[in-house]
Amino acid sequence: MKISINGKYYSKRTAKVSVFDHGLLYGDGIFEGIRVYNGRVFKLRDHIDRLYESATSIMLEIPASKDKLTGDVIRAVRLNKLKNAYIRLIVTRGAGSLGLNPFTCRNPQIIIIVDKIILYPPRFYREGLTVITVGTQRNIAEAVSPRIKSLNYLNNILAKIEALNSGLPEAVMLNSFGFVSECTGDNIFTVRKGVIFTPSIYMGVLEGITRACVIDIARDSGMVVKPIVMTRHDIYNADECFLTGTAAEIVPVVKVDGRKIGLGGPGHVTKSLMKKFKKLARSEGVLAF
Ligand code: PMP
């Protein structure tokens, strides 16, 4: 494995960052998770754009242009010779003093890891997931906006622990008003009477790139998609439910808080979107080889 740190390549053993890096000390930094399908980097421009948006929000100047960073990501994929992969693109605040002040950190670190993708078991896609709502609320946007893909994932990790403690793989997180926001690493959708719903980004969610892609696919095939204020009642009474994310792609949800969703199996809209997404993911994207 060849890991890029500021454009230089290191082995897994020698790739290191400083213990004074504020990314480690405070979770002060941002990242993206990106998929490579058949040698093509999927939605690379969207991921680069979102990374720069996160950077703007936390007042971190990425020491590279978007074009340069795009080229660096493609080079890292090529060097690692992986045609199907997961890329972790990270920008940390860099090393500074032990105080919080981010402006003592003069050298943000740009790290690119290209690894094999660890997928959810195929059973999850065939049979659908059982999830629960957890007590840990999603960060309030006025404190730390969930639209920032930051290195501090404790909010999501605490929710994930609650789900795992209940023997379930994912958690539905509510915002501070009690409305549905998203899951710990995925956006959530429902389908009712042929219409697709998802919490609006103003409900405190990450503006998922898979979410946007699924919305486009659905609208292109003539379906209506509505970003809404979603309650748990809406989920319990939906015909279908599914999650979206770069790693998970589209995964059906068949039970929420003990309530069977629809007929209790992956719904036909979900299955059709899964098929269309798979086709798109394997044909689109920036060719790395
Ligand atoms: N929400 C959260 C909290 C996430 O971490 C992620 C990414 N794993 C998503 C949603 C899905 O976003 P994307 O489709 O861009 O991967």
Side-chain angles (χ1 to χ4, degrees):
M1 184 186 290
K2 294 184 169 71
I3 296 166
S4 168
I5 303 180
N6 303 325
K8 272 193 175 168
Y9 283 90
Y10 301 86
S11 68
K12 193 169 175 176
R13 198 175 49 80
T14 57
K16 299 256 188 318
V17 289
S18 165
V19 292
F20 288 94
D21 193 310
H22 282 207
L24 173 72
L25 290 173
Y26 300 115
D28 186 354
I30 51 177
F31 76 101
E32 285 295 320
I34 312 168
R35 282 290 280 272
V36 183
Y37 294 104
N38 278 338
R40 292 173 186 272
V41 188
F42 189 57
K43 299 282 176 195
L44 180 54
R45 177 184 288 194
D46 294 357
H47 283 285
I48 296 283
D49 285 347
R50 186 170 66 183
L51 184 79
Y52 277 77
E53 283 183 17
S54 295
T56 299
S57 237
I58 71 162
M59 238 179 133
L60 167 62
E61 202 166 320
I62 299 176
S65 68
K66 284 189 181 182
D67 283 350
K68 165 87 170 55
L69 198 52
T70 301
D72 288 349
V73 169
I74 293 168
R75 198 165 311 115
V77 172
R78 203 178 296 141
L79 275 173
N80 281 283
K81 298 192 178 90
L82 286 176
K83 297 226 159 155
N84 291 289
Y86 181 83
I87 305 166
R88 180 55 59 94
L89 170 59
I90 305 155
V91 186
T92 72
R93 186 73 72 176
S97 61
L98 285 179
L100 277 182
N101 184 352
F103 304 125
T104 64
C105 308
R106 307 237 172 263
N107 295 305
Q109 303 290 294
I110 303 178
I111 301 164
I112 308 168
I113 305 168
V114 183
D115 202 354
K116 290 195 189 88
I117 170 86
I118 302 164
L119 300 167
Y120 268 155
R123 179 170 59 81
F124 285 11
Y125 297 87
R126 271 197 321 270
E127 296 166 15
L129 291 185
T130 295
V131 301
I132 47 159
T133 310
V134 294
T136 304
Q137 290 176 349
R138 192 74 177 97
N139 280 334
I140 60 167
E142 292 74 15
V144 184
S145 173
R147 291 173 73 183
I148 302 168
K149 201 163 168 60
S150 92
L151 289 182
N152 192 324
Y153 252 56
L154 268 181
N155 179 220
N156 313 58
I157 290 165
L158 291 174
K160 185 93 176 177
I161 288 171
E162 285 190 71
L164 294 172
N165 281 348
S166 303
L168 297 173
E170 248 306 353
V172 175
M173 300 179 76
L174 306 179
N175 65 19
S176 60
F177 297 101
F179 295 117
V180 176
S181 62
E182 59 181 335
C183 291
T184 67
D186 296 312
N187 292 109
I188 189 163
F189 286 76
T190 56
V191 183
R192 188 160 191 210
K193 297 190 174 135
V195 178
I196 301 175
F197 301 95
T198 190
S200 141
I201 49 168
Y202 300 106
M203 290 295 104
V205 307
L206 179 74
E207 215 170 347
I209 286 164
T210 321
R211 174 184 180 275
C213 183
V214 166
I215 291 174
D216 285 347
I217 293 173
R219 286 185 175 152
D220 284 350
S221 46
M223 297 196 68
V224 177
V225 185
K226 293 186 179 170
I228 56 161
V229 176
M230 186 182 280
T231 65
R232 286 194 289 171
H233 180 86
D234 296 320
I235 302 184
Y236 300 156
N237 291 287
D239 301 324
E240 301 182 29
C241 179
F242 61 87
L243 312 182
T244 65
T246 295
E249 303 179 316
I250 302 174
V251 58
V253 172
V254 293
K255 205 183 233 190
V256 181
D257 300 338
R259 280 81 160 175
K260 195 167 74 172
I261 307 301
L263 299 172
H268 73 272
V269 173
T270 307
K271 285 202 265 191
S272 147
L273 290 170
M274 286 166 78
K275 209 184 254 174
K276 288 187 172 122
F277 178 81
K278 199 162 243 171
K279 197 166 160 208
L280 182 80
R282 276 144 190 80
S283 59
E284 221 186 47
V286 184
L287 211 49
F289 292 88

